[in-house]
mmCIF file of all heavy atoms in Angstrom:
data_model
loop_
_atom_site.group_PDB
_atom_site.id
_atom_site.type_symbol
_atom_site.label_atom_id
_atom_site.label_comp_id
_atom_site.label_asym_id
_atom_site.label_seq_id
_atom_site.Cartn_x
_atom_site.Cartn_y
_atom_site.Cartn_z
ATOM 1 N N GLU A 81 57.221 -30.014 -15.462
ATOM 2 C CA GLU A 81 57.003 -29.913 -16.896
ATOM 3 C C GLU A 81 58.251 -29.457 -17.663
ATOM 4 O O GLU A 81 58.333 -29.602 -18.880
ATOM 5 C CB GLU A 81 55.825 -28.971 -17.215
ATOM 6 C CG GLU A 81 56.045 -27.529 -16.815
ATOM 7 C CD GLU A 81 55.684 -27.205 -15.366
ATOM 8 O OE1 GLU A 81 55.382 -28.119 -14.588
ATOM 9 O OE2 GLU A 81 55.720 -26.014 -15.019
ATOM 10 N N ILE A 82 59.261 -28.928 -16.941
ATOM 11 C CA ILE A 82 60.526 -28.545 -17.569
ATOM 12 C C ILE A 82 61.300 -29.831 -17.828
ATOM 13 O O ILE A 82 61.570 -30.591 -16.907
ATOM 14 C CB ILE A 82 61.338 -27.589 -16.662
ATOM 15 C CG1 ILE A 82 60.503 -26.369 -16.276
ATOM 16 C CG2 ILE A 82 62.637 -27.197 -17.314
ATOM 17 C CD1 ILE A 82 60.015 -25.545 -17.422
ATOM 18 N N GLU A 83 61.678 -30.055 -19.084
ATOM 19 C CA GLU A 83 62.221 -31.366 -19.451
ATOM 20 C C GLU A 83 63.734 -31.462 -19.521
ATOM 21 O O GLU A 83 64.270 -32.557 -19.590
ATOM 22 C CB GLU A 83 61.611 -31.798 -20.781
ATOM 23 C CG GLU A 83 60.113 -32.029 -20.665
ATOM 24 C CD GLU A 83 59.491 -32.518 -21.959
ATOM 25 O OE1 GLU A 83 60.216 -32.680 -22.953
ATOM 26 O OE2 GLU A 83 58.280 -32.734 -21.952
ATOM 27 N N THR A 84 64.454 -30.335 -19.535
ATOM 28 C CA THR A 84 65.915 -30.399 -19.616
ATOM 29 C C THR A 84 66.545 -29.410 -18.652
ATOM 30 O O THR A 84 65.931 -28.413 -18.271
ATOM 31 C CB THR A 84 66.426 -30.071 -21.038
ATOM 32 O OG1 THR A 84 66.106 -28.698 -21.318
ATOM 33 C CG2 THR A 84 65.831 -30.986 -22.073
ATOM 34 N N ARG A 85 67.787 -29.685 -18.313
ATOM 35 C CA ARG A 85 68.536 -28.776 -17.435
ATOM 36 C C ARG A 85 68.740 -27.434 -18.123
ATOM 37 O O ARG A 85 68.629 -26.379 -17.491
ATOM 38 C CB ARG A 85 69.876 -29.416 -17.082
ATOM 39 C CG ARG A 85 70.764 -28.529 -16.257
ATOM 40 C CD ARG A 85 72.057 -29.210 -15.918
ATOM 41 N NE ARG A 85 73.017 -28.264 -15.404
ATOM 42 C CZ ARG A 85 74.218 -28.580 -15.008
ATOM 43 N NH1 ARG A 85 74.613 -29.829 -15.049
ATOM 44 N NH2 ARG A 85 75.034 -27.667 -14.562
ATOM 45 N N ALA A 86 69.039 -27.446 -19.415
ATOM 46 C CA ALA A 86 69.263 -26.200 -20.154
ATOM 47 C C ALA A 86 68.012 -25.322 -20.119
ATOM 48 O O ALA A 86 68.102 -24.104 -19.918
ATOM 49 C CB ALA A 86 69.663 -26.505 -21.586
ATOM 50 N N GLU A 87 66.862 -25.927 -20.289
ATOM 51 C CA GLU A 87 65.604 -25.180 -20.237
ATOM 52 C C GLU A 87 65.392 -24.585 -18.846
ATOM 53 O O GLU A 87 64.977 -23.434 -18.701
ATOM 54 C CB GLU A 87 64.451 -26.111 -20.612
ATOM 55 C CG GLU A 87 63.131 -25.427 -20.787
ATOM 56 C CD GLU A 87 62.010 -26.388 -21.152
ATOM 57 O OE1 GLU A 87 62.272 -27.582 -21.416
ATOM 58 O OE2 GLU A 87 60.849 -25.934 -21.152
ATOM 59 N N ALA A 88 65.695 -25.363 -17.813
ATOM 60 C CA ALA A 88 65.549 -24.876 -16.435
ATOM 61 C C ALA A 88 66.488 -23.695 -16.180
ATOM 62 O O ALA A 88 66.096 -22.702 -15.566
ATOM 63 C CB ALA A 88 65.829 -26.000 -15.448
ATOM 64 N N GLU A 89 67.730 -23.784 -16.665
ATOM 65 C CA GLU A 89 68.700 -22.706 -16.437
ATOM 66 C C GLU A 89 68.306 -21.435 -17.182
ATOM 67 O O GLU A 89 68.563 -20.330 -16.702
ATOM 68 C CB GLU A 89 70.106 -23.173 -16.821
ATOM 69 C CG GLU A 89 70.543 -24.332 -15.943
ATOM 70 C CD GLU A 89 71.998 -24.291 -15.534
ATOM 71 O OE1 GLU A 89 72.631 -23.243 -15.653
ATOM 72 O OE2 GLU A 89 72.473 -25.341 -15.073
ATOM 73 N N MET A 90 67.684 -21.571 -18.345
ATOM 74 C CA MET A 90 67.244 -20.391 -19.103
ATOM 75 C C MET A 90 66.153 -19.626 -18.363
ATOM 76 O O MET A 90 66.015 -18.419 -18.527
ATOM 77 C CB MET A 90 66.728 -20.808 -20.480
ATOM 78 C CG MET A 90 67.819 -21.114 -21.459
ATOM 79 S SD MET A 90 67.255 -21.642 -23.086
ATOM 80 C CE MET A 90 65.679 -20.908 -23.290
ATOM 81 N N LEU A 91 65.382 -20.305 -17.541
ATOM 82 C CA LEU A 91 64.285 -19.670 -16.820
ATOM 83 C C LEU A 91 64.740 -18.935 -15.560
ATOM 84 O O LEU A 91 63.940 -18.310 -14.878
ATOM 85 C CB LEU A 91 63.225 -20.721 -16.469
ATOM 86 C CG LEU A 91 62.516 -21.318 -17.691
ATOM 87 C CD1 LEU A 91 61.666 -22.504 -17.277
ATOM 88 C CD2 LEU A 91 61.680 -20.271 -18.391
ATOM 89 N N VAL A 92 66.040 -19.026 -15.237
ATOM 90 C CA VAL A 92 66.601 -18.285 -14.099
ATOM 91 C C VAL A 92 67.674 -17.359 -14.666
ATOM 92 O O VAL A 92 68.851 -17.711 -14.714
ATOM 93 C CB VAL A 92 67.201 -19.243 -13.044
ATOM 94 C CG1 VAL A 92 67.705 -18.470 -11.842
ATOM 95 C CG2 VAL A 92 66.185 -20.269 -12.606
ATOM 96 N N PRO A 93 67.288 -16.150 -15.136
ATOM 97 C CA PRO A 93 68.229 -15.289 -15.837
ATOM 98 C C PRO A 93 69.459 -14.904 -15.018
ATOM 99 O O PRO A 93 70.549 -14.778 -15.565
ATOM 100 C CB PRO A 93 67.408 -14.052 -16.190
ATOM 101 C CG PRO A 93 66.064 -14.243 -15.633
ATOM 102 C CD PRO A 93 65.973 -15.594 -15.028
ATOM 103 N N GLN A 94 69.316 -14.727 -13.719
ATOM 104 C CA GLN A 94 70.478 -14.336 -12.909
ATOM 105 C C GLN A 94 71.346 -15.532 -12.538
ATOM 106 O O GLN A 94 72.408 -15.377 -11.957
ATOM 107 C CB GLN A 94 70.045 -13.557 -11.673
ATOM 108 C CG GLN A 94 69.339 -14.395 -10.622
ATOM 109 C CD GLN A 94 68.732 -13.556 -9.537
ATOM 110 O OE1 GLN A 94 67.815 -12.808 -9.771
ATOM 111 N NE2 GLN A 94 69.257 -13.689 -8.338
ATOM 112 N N GLY A 95 70.896 -16.750 -12.862
ATOM 113 C CA GLY A 95 71.667 -17.947 -12.564
ATOM 114 C C GLY A 95 71.631 -18.283 -11.076
ATOM 115 O O GLY A 95 70.969 -17.623 -10.291
ATOM 116 N N ILE A 96 72.368 -19.325 -10.724
ATOM 117 C CA ILE A 96 72.458 -19.701 -9.307
ATOM 118 C C ILE A 96 73.920 -19.872 -8.943
ATOM 119 O O ILE A 96 74.762 -20.151 -9.792
ATOM 120 C CB ILE A 96 71.663 -20.987 -8.974
ATOM 121 C CG1 ILE A 96 72.296 -22.218 -9.617
ATOM 122 C CG2 ILE A 96 70.211 -20.861 -9.362
ATOM 123 C CD1 ILE A 96 71.730 -23.527 -9.106
ATOM 124 N N ASN A 97 74.204 -19.674 -7.676
ATOM 125 C CA ASN A 97 75.553 -19.848 -7.151
ATOM 126 C C ASN A 97 75.432 -20.708 -5.902
ATOM 127 O O ASN A 97 75.093 -20.208 -4.833
ATOM 128 C CB ASN A 97 76.173 -18.484 -6.830
ATOM 129 C CG ASN A 97 77.605 -18.602 -6.357
ATOM 130 O OD1 ASN A 97 78.235 -19.638 -6.546
ATOM 131 N ND2 ASN A 97 78.104 -17.555 -5.748
ATOM 132 N N MET A 98 75.679 -22.004 -6.032
ATOM 133 C CA MET A 98 75.513 -22.919 -4.905
ATOM 134 C C MET A 98 76.691 -22.802 -3.943
ATOM 135 O O MET A 98 77.827 -23.002 -4.333
ATOM 136 C CB MET A 98 75.387 -24.358 -5.402
ATOM 137 C CG MET A 98 74.144 -24.611 -6.205
ATOM 138 S SD MET A 98 74.054 -26.263 -6.934
ATOM 139 C CE MET A 98 73.806 -27.274 -5.496
ATOM 140 N N LYS A 99 76.414 -22.434 -2.692
ATOM 141 C CA LYS A 99 77.437 -22.358 -1.648
ATOM 142 C C LYS A 99 77.077 -23.343 -0.555
ATOM 143 O O LYS A 99 75.951 -23.352 -0.069
ATOM 144 C CB LYS A 99 77.492 -20.947 -1.052
ATOM 145 C CG LYS A 99 77.917 -19.884 -2.028
ATOM 146 C CD LYS A 99 77.901 -18.527 -1.364
ATOM 147 C CE LYS A 99 78.190 -17.446 -2.383
ATOM 148 N NZ LYS A 99 78.012 -16.120 -1.826
ATOM 149 N N GLU A 100 78.039 -24.172 -0.173
ATOM 150 C CA GLU A 100 77.768 -25.158 0.868
ATOM 151 C C GLU A 100 77.629 -24.465 2.221
ATOM 152 O O GLU A 100 78.402 -23.583 2.562
ATOM 153 C CB GLU A 100 78.870 -26.206 0.932
ATOM 154 C CG GLU A 100 78.543 -27.325 1.886
ATOM 155 C CD GLU A 100 79.507 -28.493 1.803
ATOM 156 O OE1 GLU A 100 80.484 -28.428 1.056
ATOM 157 O OE2 GLU A 100 79.266 -29.460 2.518
ATOM 158 N N ILE A 101 76.612 -24.877 2.959
ATOM 159 C CA ILE A 101 76.393 -24.360 4.310
ATOM 160 C C ILE A 101 77.133 -25.280 5.261
ATOM 161 O O ILE A 101 76.837 -26.476 5.336
ATOM 162 C CB ILE A 101 74.894 -24.341 4.661
ATOM 163 C CG1 ILE A 101 74.132 -23.439 3.699
ATOM 164 C CG2 ILE A 101 74.692 -23.901 6.104
ATOM 165 C CD1 ILE A 101 72.625 -23.538 3.842
ATOM 166 N N THR A 102 78.105 -24.737 5.957
ATOM 167 C CA THR A 102 78.850 -25.564 6.907
ATOM 168 C C THR A 102 78.151 -25.502 8.257
ATOM 169 O O THR A 102 77.654 -24.462 8.666
ATOM 170 C CB THR A 102 80.303 -25.081 7.052
ATOM 171 O OG1 THR A 102 80.294 -23.702 7.429
ATOM 172 C CG2 THR A 102 81.054 -25.234 5.754
ATOM 173 N N THR A 103 78.119 -26.629 8.919
ATOM 174 C CA THR A 103 77.506 -26.690 10.239
ATOM 175 C C THR A 103 78.604 -26.809 11.284
ATOM 176 O O THR A 103 79.674 -27.342 11.008
ATOM 177 C CB THR A 103 76.549 -27.889 10.351
ATOM 178 O OG1 THR A 103 77.276 -29.073 10.030
ATOM 179 C CG2 THR A 103 75.381 -27.749 9.390
ATOM 180 N N LYS A 104 78.310 -26.301 12.456
ATOM 181 C CA LYS A 104 79.291 -26.388 13.536
ATOM 182 C C LYS A 104 79.438 -27.840 13.966
ATOM 183 O O LYS A 104 78.453 -28.547 14.137
ATOM 184 C CB LYS A 104 78.848 -25.549 14.732
ATOM 185 C CG LYS A 104 78.838 -24.075 14.447
ATOM 186 C CD LYS A 104 78.394 -23.308 15.668
ATOM 187 C CE LYS A 104 78.361 -21.825 15.370
ATOM 188 N NZ LYS A 104 77.874 -21.055 16.521
ATOM 189 N N LYS A 105 80.667 -28.254 14.129
ATOM 190 C CA LYS A 105 80.911 -29.609 14.595
ATOM 191 C C LYS A 105 80.736 -29.668 16.103
ATOM 192 O O LYS A 105 81.102 -28.739 16.813
ATOM 193 C CB LYS A 105 82.317 -30.073 14.205
ATOM 194 C CG LYS A 105 82.488 -30.219 12.718
ATOM 195 C CD LYS A 105 83.834 -30.789 12.387
ATOM 196 C CE LYS A 105 83.960 -30.977 10.890
ATOM 197 N NZ LYS A 105 85.245 -31.515 10.510
ATOM 198 N N LYS A 106 80.188 -30.762 16.555
ATOM 199 C CA LYS A 106 80.011 -30.936 17.991
ATOM 200 C C LYS A 106 81.370 -31.153 18.641
ATOM 201 O O LYS A 106 82.219 -31.858 18.109
ATOM 202 C CB LYS A 106 79.114 -32.143 18.271
ATOM 203 C CG LYS A 106 77.706 -31.950 17.827
ATOM 204 C CD LYS A 106 76.877 -33.170 18.157
ATOM 205 C CE LYS A 106 75.458 -32.984 17.688
ATOM 206 N NZ LYS A 106 74.645 -34.170 17.947
ATOM 207 N N LYS A 107 81.536 -30.529 19.793
ATOM 208 C CA LYS A 107 82.774 -30.725 20.537
ATOM 209 C C LYS A 107 82.738 -32.095 21.192
ATOM 210 O O LYS A 107 81.711 -32.510 21.720
ATOM 211 C CB LYS A 107 82.935 -29.643 21.604
ATOM 212 C CG LYS A 107 83.159 -28.268 21.032
ATOM 213 C CD LYS A 107 83.371 -27.261 22.138
ATOM 214 C CE LYS A 107 83.599 -25.874 21.566
ATOM 215 N NZ LYS A 107 83.800 -24.884 22.613
ATOM 216 N N THR A 108 83.853 -32.763 21.125
ATOM 217 C CA THR A 108 83.908 -34.070 21.773
ATOM 218 C C THR A 108 84.103 -33.867 23.272
ATOM 219 O O THR A 108 84.867 -32.994 23.698
ATOM 220 C CB THR A 108 85.064 -34.922 21.217
ATOM 221 O OG1 THR A 108 86.283 -34.215 21.371
ATOM 222 C CG2 THR A 108 84.838 -35.241 19.750
ATOM 223 N N LYS A 109 83.408 -34.650 24.027
ATOM 224 C CA LYS A 109 83.480 -34.546 25.480
ATOM 225 C C LYS A 109 84.761 -35.223 25.956
ATOM 226 O O LYS A 109 85.070 -36.346 25.569
ATOM 227 C CB LYS A 109 82.266 -35.221 26.097
ATOM 228 C CG LYS A 109 82.144 -35.005 27.572
ATOM 229 C CD LYS A 109 80.854 -35.611 28.088
ATOM 230 C CE LYS A 109 80.769 -35.428 29.578
ATOM 231 N NZ LYS A 109 79.551 -36.045 30.114
ATOM 232 N N LYS A 110 85.513 -34.503 26.758
ATOM 233 C CA LYS A 110 86.741 -35.071 27.307
ATOM 234 C C LYS A 110 86.379 -36.097 28.377
ATOM 235 O O LYS A 110 85.415 -35.920 29.117
ATOM 236 C CB LYS A 110 87.610 -33.973 27.917
ATOM 237 C CG LYS A 110 88.166 -33.022 26.881
ATOM 238 C CD LYS A 110 89.076 -32.002 27.524
ATOM 239 C CE LYS A 110 89.626 -31.069 26.473
ATOM 240 N NZ LYS A 110 90.516 -30.068 27.055
ATOM 241 N N PRO A 111 87.146 -37.165 28.457
ATOM 242 C CA PRO A 111 86.850 -38.182 29.479
ATOM 243 C C PRO A 111 87.074 -37.629 30.885
ATOM 244 O O PRO A 111 87.918 -36.766 31.104
ATOM 245 C CB PRO A 111 87.838 -39.303 29.158
ATOM 246 C CG PRO A 111 88.898 -38.701 28.331
ATOM 247 C CD PRO A 111 88.289 -37.520 27.638
ATOM 248 N N SER A 112 86.305 -38.127 31.812
ATOM 249 C CA SER A 112 86.456 -37.681 33.197
ATOM 250 C C SER A 112 87.286 -38.697 33.976
ATOM 251 O O SER A 112 87.468 -39.829 33.542
ATOM 252 C CB SER A 112 85.086 -37.527 33.853
ATOM 253 O OG SER A 112 84.400 -38.750 33.785
ATOM 254 N N VAL A 113 87.768 -38.244 35.102
ATOM 255 C CA VAL A 113 88.571 -39.120 35.969
ATOM 256 C C VAL A 113 87.656 -39.632 37.067
ATOM 257 O O VAL A 113 87.043 -38.861 37.793
ATOM 258 C CB VAL A 113 89.754 -38.344 36.603
ATOM 259 C CG1 VAL A 113 90.535 -39.246 37.524
ATOM 260 C CG2 VAL A 113 90.629 -37.758 35.538
ATOM 261 N N VAL A 114 87.536 -40.953 37.152
ATOM 262 C CA VAL A 114 86.736 -41.569 38.206
ATOM 263 C C VAL A 114 87.713 -42.200 39.193
ATOM 264 O O VAL A 114 88.514 -43.065 38.832
ATOM 265 C CB VAL A 114 85.791 -42.644 37.638
ATOM 266 C CG1 VAL A 114 85.001 -43.305 38.755
ATOM 267 C CG2 VAL A 114 84.863 -42.035 36.612
ATOM 268 N N VAL A 115 87.645 -41.738 40.440
ATOM 269 C CA VAL A 115 88.551 -42.233 41.468
ATOM 270 C C VAL A 115 87.848 -43.369 42.209
ATOM 271 O O VAL A 115 86.750 -43.201 42.737
ATOM 272 C CB VAL A 115 88.936 -41.105 42.457
ATOM 273 C CG1 VAL A 115 89.880 -41.617 43.519
ATOM 274 C CG2 VAL A 115 89.537 -39.935 41.699
#
Side-chain angles (χ1 to χ4, degrees):
E81 64 274 7
I82 305 301
E83 295 183 0
T84 65
R85 176 179 167 179
E87 188 180 352
E89 297 219 16
M90 282 179 27
L91 294 170
V92 183
Q94 71 190 66
I96 68 168
N97 183 16
M98 294 174 70
K99 296 178 186 172
E100 187 170 4
I101 299 171
T102 56
T103 56
K104 293 180 181 177
K105 294 185 178 180
K106 293 181 181 178
K107 293 183 180 180
T108 56
K109 188 175 178 182
K110 292 183 180 180
S112 58
V113 178
V114 178
V115 180

